[in-house]
Amino acid sequence: MNIPQPLFDDPVLRPIHHFDGARDHAAPQERLNCVRLRAQRFREEMLVEGPVTYYRSFDLIRVPYPTRYALRDACAVPTPYIHIINRMFIVQFESAEGIKTLLVSPSDIRANRETPFFKRLSGRFGPFREQIEPLIAPELGTVEMCLARTEIRPEDVDYITYDHLHTQDLRRWLGTQDQPAYFPNAHLLVMRQEWESARALLPPQADWYCPNGTVGVPPEKIVLLDNDVMLGKSAALVQTPGHTEGNHSIVVHTEEGLMVTSENGVSPDAYAPMHSKIPGLKKYARETGMDVVLNSNTLERGLDQYISMVQEKEIAGPSVRNPDFYNVVPSSELSAYWLFPGIEPSFSFGPLEFGKPQSHGVTEGS
Ligand SMILES: [Zn+2]
């Protein structure tokens, strides 16, 4: 089998070792303390450098998601579902090789419908599926449309990354023998564990991965990461296992500080339950001592997920918009929706945009 190898000869990617060994201790409390301290140090170091040149988030689709997964047993509202908004981010950053473009979480929303969990869910609507689906899972934009709004062209995209590969189908973006890549110059940055998982799933995992979503993608387009890495000096991919074994977080230095993205938690509320107005969360945090509320659909590594969420919020730091909450911008974020009443986030980031996009070194509008 042709196994992709790490491309550390790519001068844009620099392995970093801030968190190496931080989870080796047998005592969970020691692991948590060690990760927390190192996260604070990492944050200070990243903030010494300047922000990325461009950062923008786009809403792609609203998806129903069981409340018991989103907020575990913390939420006191009986509404069985909430909505999560699946997002894409465009990040452009300076590197030794000039401005580079990273797409974070570009979901092929049509192909992703093949994910067994969501396929079963929509199958329940039987013959009314076509009428009901736009209501319960409205599309807000496609990757192609969002990119076009920035004048960044598909060939400008250098890297694609996902905090984890749940629901993702990469074939359209990276190409296969039978179809050309929509992003002809893009490489996928993925943790080796996530890649290995996605191609050899156990049943508890398989419900959430798009079948064949990675099959046939040319190996030379896959960059398997064994370490945390910096992308230039203003963005980083940091291993944060838990939600999945190969989970990582995307850390981006913006004009509002360090933004951290993953799906370990589904809302800024989940990272600051003591400040949450969602019924039940504050009580849950007070009674259990939990500092965070885990996104619980898979819990591939439950304790690690807890530690990872603390790590994420320590790296992110408080939001300048509301210091009770952290600069954590989930890739799929809890949002209020009329169809699922009773639950709305206490704080959320709307669409974010910092800086100006560039296409082939030319600033938009210049
Ligand atoms: Zn997931």
Side-chain angles (χ1 to χ4, degrees):
M1 195 166 61
N2 200 352
I3 297 184
Q5 296 300 313
L7 286 184
F8 281 134
D9 54 344
D10 182 336
V12 176
L13 306 178
R14 183 167 56 88
I16 52 172
H17 301 282
H18 296 69
F19 296 99
D20 287 4
R23 299 180 191 225
D24 285 353
H25 207 288
Q29 190 68 53
E30 291 296 324
R31 298 203 291 273
L32 180 69
N33 292 342
C34 188
V35 166
R36 192 194 297 271
L37 283 174
R38 295 200 195 184
Q40 289 163 354
R41 208 176 304 151
F42 178 66
R43 168 180 167 77
E44 284 165 19
E45 277 186 35
M46 261 196 91
L47 285 172
V48 170
E49 304 290 341
V52 294
T53 58
Y54 187 58
Y55 176 96
R56 184 169 175 185
S57 67
F58 299 86
D59 296 345
L60 296 181
I61 187 168
R62 286 175 165 273
V63 182
Y65 189 61
T67 311
R68 70 180 193 280
Y69 293 157
L71 298 168
R72 214 156 179 231
D73 41 9
C75 181
V77 181
T79 303
Y81 288 94
I82 54 127
H83 249 177
I84 46 177
I85 294 184
N86 183 242
R87 293 204 178 101
M88 174 178 85
F89 302 79
I90 299 178
V91 179
Q92 291 190 312
F93 59 92
E94 283 173 14
S95 79
E97 308 277 296
I99 298 285
K100 293 289 176 183
T101 302
L102 167 72
L103 285 194
V104 177
S105 207
S107 295
D108 184 347
I109 52 182
R110 303 269 158 80
N112 294 9
R113 290 181 200 277
E114 292 303 310
T115 302
F117 178 84
F118 290 109
K119 201 169 181 183
R120 270 205 321 280
L121 196 63
S122 72
R124 287 184 199 154
F125 303 120
F128 304 107
R129 183 180 154 173
E130 280 191 14
Q131 286 77 35
I132 293 176
E133 226 165 47
L135 201 64
I136 66 156
E139 289 180 19
L140 308 171
T142 64
V143 170
E144 297 92 322
M145 284 160 48
C146 295
L147 198 69
R149 280 195 255 152
T150 69
E151 297 183 12
I152 294 170
R153 301 176 307 171
E155 53 267 41
D156 295 327
V157 174
D158 300 290
Y159 302 105
I160 292 174
T161 199
Y162 301 87
D163 46 283
H164 67 301
L165 292 177
H166 276 172
T167 75
Q168 302 301 342
D169 188 324
L170 312 177
R171 294 172 290 185
R172 177 161 159 66
W173 308 141
L174 297 172
T176 63
Q177 255 189 347
D178 304 321
Q179 67 175 327
Y182 186 78
F183 300 114
N185 302 316
H187 284 85
L188 176 75
L189 304 178
V190 61
M191 291 297 158
R192 182 183 297 274
Q193 177 62 61
E194 188 63 16
W195 186 256
E196 297 288 356
S197 288
R199 296 163 75 84
L201 299 162
L202 295 178
Q205 302 169 298
D207 214 25
W208 296 93
Y209 285 82
C210 188
N212 305 315
T214 63
V215 173
V217 174
E220 65 271 17
K221 297 203 171 185
I222 312 298
V223 183
L224 294 183
L225 302 171
D226 293 307
N227 292 81
D228 300 341
V229 288
M230 290 297 300
L231 283 68
K233 292 178 177 172
S234 309
L237 309 183
V238 176
Q239 294 172 94
T240 49
H243 179 58
T244 67
E245 289 193 292
N247 208 84
H248 73 260
S249 303
I250 297 90
V251 184
V252 184
H253 189 175
T254 73
E255 289 161 25
E256 285 192 17
L258 303 182
M259 297 292 181
V260 178
T261 291
S262 88
E263 214 177 277
N264 277 318
V266 299
S267 168
D269 283 80
Y271 289 84
M274 284 302 284
H275 292 285
S276 176
K277 294 187 176 68
I278 297 176
L281 262 64
K282 189 188 278 191
K283 182 166 181 273
Y284 172 82
R286 209 172 36 229
E287 290 179 352
T288 64
M290 298 272 274
D291 225 2
V292 292
V293 177
L294 278 58
N295 177 17
S296 308
N297 59 335
T298 50
L299 294 173
E300 288 192 14
R301 288 191 189 167
L303 281 186
D304 267 321
Q305 186 170 345
Y306 185 84
I307 294 171
S308 290
M309 288 181 71
V310 172
Q311 178 181 8
E312 288 173 319
K313 69 176 181 176
E314 291 292 350
I315 293 173
S319 167
V320 295
R321 298 176 185 216
N322 182 342
D324 284 344
F325 294 93
Y326 294 86
N327 262 350
V328 178
V329 191
S331 47
S332 287
E333 184 172 9
L334 167 66
S335 77
Y337 189 53
W338 60 269
L339 202 57
F340 307 121
I343 302 176
E344 59 177 298
S346 317
F347 174 76
S348 64
F349 291 94
L352 294 170
E353 185 171 18
F354 305 109
K356 282 206 165 108
Q358 295 189 27
S359 175
H360 275 241
V362 180
T363 306
E364 188 187 358
S366 66

